Amino acid sequence: AKGVNRIKTLNALCYAYAYVQADSARAYGLEALNLQGNSQTALLAETLHNLAIVSQVQSRYEEALSYDEQTLTIRTGLKDSVGMADSFNNIAIIYDEQGRYSEAVQYYLKAYELYKKHGSELKLALVNVNLGVVYKGMGDFSNSIANYREALALFTRMSRAYEIAVCQVNLGSVFISVSRYDSALVYSLRAEESFRKLGYARFQTVALGNAGIAYGKLGKIKEGVYYLQQAIDLHQKNNNTKELSFCYLKLAELYFNNNNANEAIEAAQLALQTSVETKIWQQQADAHQLLATLLDQSKNFKQAFYNQKNYVQLKDSLFQKEKVKQIRELQI
């Protein structure tokens, strides 16, 4: 392909590979970008939008936000309201993954209003899924489960295999949070199978991690370690440091609950290291909290106090009253 047709093909390849093989997606997207210059067209906006998704998948959040902001500027100039909604939704996802819940809610609402004006039922459902993620992050698990189940029913009626798997993996995660481990395992294994068949390696890996957590909570330690280690290996391969940090943390908890102190400390330190690198505040807080407990039990009181202090500071910044109020207002 040549000219515009080549750019369109590269854009399609970039998007298709984004959740499968991010490095390849980046290469296709950058080639498309280099062929366009500063054209301020819908085609360039699509290229930047795809590159933002790839950067988000690889936990390059500042880069992803930069691409999204450039995309939003072009789409605003073109008065492309659906495209603007897509950009708002992307930005909200990034803020959500960073634990910046207040900002995430604001951008999800912007996306929701624009999608509603255009009667885009599928995208409205997807925003509701994303809001389910925010509810989970704020600890409002009942609303999170309700959102996911409603979306799952809709996607099932529409025969949307990918979206069904997304709801399943998210439900698995929430059921872990409310200690319903049998349900968590069922949904996680279903999602893992679906993502594997669809070829979405990144989300398959998330489902593997959730299954590992559920197995561990059900007392099946060998299976728990096996699934979590599989997830860690695949996250490393795909350079997904956010989920890598999460799996290290859950592996540390599994070791801790089975009196393997040294392995637990090592895994928790890896969780902290990767979460600091990608500025994931929530997981930094969780890693500091676990390390404080582990180091206290190991009689390393100075380091235990240091980690506990950092945990408290991070927790305070994450859950200010203003942010909780905004979530409650959204619920109403």
Side-chain angles (χ1 to χ4, degrees):
K2 303 286 185 182
V4 171
N5 285 336
R6 183 172 185 82
I7 295 168
K8 289 180 178 179
T9 305
L10 289 165
N11 281 349
L13 285 165
C14 178
Y15 185 78
Y17 274 101
Y19 297 106
V20 181
Q21 192 170 316
D23 287 338
S24 296
R26 177 177 293 278
Y28 287 124
L30 290 175
E31 183 180 345
L33 184 63
N34 291 334
L35 290 172
Q36 295 176 82
N38 190 26
S39 55
Q40 301 296 295
T41 62
L43 195 59
L44 177 60
E46 182 185 353
T47 302
L48 293 165
H49 177 84
N50 292 343
L51 283 168
I53 293 172
V54 174
S55 298
Q56 177 254 323
V57 166
Q58 295 186 312
S59 303
R60 296 176 165 182
Y61 295 120
E62 296 305 317
E63 182 179 89
L65 285 170
S66 175
Y67 282 131
D68 274 324
E69 287 164 2
Q70 293 176 65
T71 306
L72 186 57
T73 298
I74 295 172
R75 287 172 169 171
T76 301
L78 296 172
K79 298 182 180 180
D80 176 8
S81 56
V82 173
M84 291 166 62
D86 290 341
S87 295
F88 287 141
N89 189 62
N90 269 18
I91 292 169
I93 290 170
I94 294 166
Y95 285 147
D96 184 14
E97 291 194 4
Q98 289 182 311
R100 297 162 66 176
Y101 300 123
S102 173
E103 292 148 301
V105 168
Q106 292 173 31
Y107 278 88
Y108 279 137
L109 285 174
K110 290 181 180 180
Y112 190 91
E113 288 303 314
L114 289 175
Y115 287 142
K116 188 175 181 180
K117 287 180 181 178
H118 286 271
S120 180
E121 187 178 52
L122 174 60
K123 291 193 174 183
L124 281 172
L126 291 172
V127 172
N128 281 324
V129 169
N130 292 337
L131 284 167
V133 177
V134 177
Y135 281 131
K136 178 179 180 291
M138 296 300 295
D140 190 349
F141 301 119
S142 60
N143 268 319
S144 183
I145 290 170
N147 274 274
Y148 288 142
R149 280 183 161 162
E150 184 176 346
L152 179 59
L154 175 61
F155 291 136
T156 300
R157 289 198 299 271
M158 298 170 68
S159 299
R160 304 281 303 196
Y162 166 73
E163 287 81 5
I164 290 169
V166 168
C167 291
Q168 288 172 338
V169 75
N170 287 342
L171 278 166
S173 179
V174 182
F175 281 129
I176 287 171
S177 299
V178 295
S179 304
R180 293 171 60 180
Y181 303 119
D182 287 326
S183 296
L185 186 59
V186 168
Y187 279 109
S188 298
L189 291 177
R190 286 178 184 173
E192 191 278 329
E193 181 181 5
S194 297
F195 284 131
R196 177 162 38 84
K197 289 178 178 178
L198 291 166
Y200 284 93
R202 178 175 184 258
F203 297 136
Q204 176 196 354
T205 311
V206 174
L208 284 167
N210 287 345
I213 296 165
Y215 271 125
K217 294 294 186 180
L218 291 167
K220 299 182 178 181
I221 308 306
K222 183 178 179 181
E223 292 88 344
V225 171
Y226 171 76
Y227 273 87
L228 280 169
Q229 194 58 60
Q230 268 197 311
I232 286 169
D233 292 344
L234 286 172
H235 283 316
Q236 288 176 328
K237 181 180 178 181
N238 293 315
N239 195 32
N240 185 359
T241 49
K242 178 182 186 294
E243 295 296 342
L244 177 61
S245 171
F246 178 77
C247 286
Y248 275 136
L249 186 64
K250 295 306 173 182
L251 185 61
E253 291 176 0
L254 183 56
Y255 283 135
F256 169 58
N257 292 332
N258 288 276
N259 301 314
N260 296 324
N262 292 333
E263 291 89 344
I265 291 171
E266 181 181 355
Q269 288 172 336
L270 288 168
L272 179 60
Q273 178 185 331
T274 50
S275 61
V276 168
E277 288 173 359
T278 47
K279 299 179 181 179
I280 309 299
W281 301 339
Q282 180 63 63
Q283 288 171 204
Q284 287 181 47
D286 292 340
H288 278 302
Q289 183 184 33
L290 182 57
L291 279 168
T293 301
L294 291 166
L295 292 166
D296 177 67
Q297 291 190 353
S298 299
K299 309 301 181 184
N300 189 343
F301 301 121
K302 183 177 180 180
Q303 285 299 311
F305 176 77
Y306 166 80
N307 280 280
Q308 180 65 19
K309 181 180 178 182
N310 282 329
Y311 162 71
V312 171
Q313 289 175 341
L314 283 164
K315 207 68 175 176
D316 285 345
S317 66
L318 278 169
F319 295 102
Q320 296 171 4
K321 290 183 179 180
E322 179 185 353
K323 295 183 180 180
V324 175
K325 180 182 176 183
Q326 287 180 329
I327 293 293
R328 294 302 178 192
E329 288 174 347
L330 172 63
Q331 181 180 352
I332 291 167

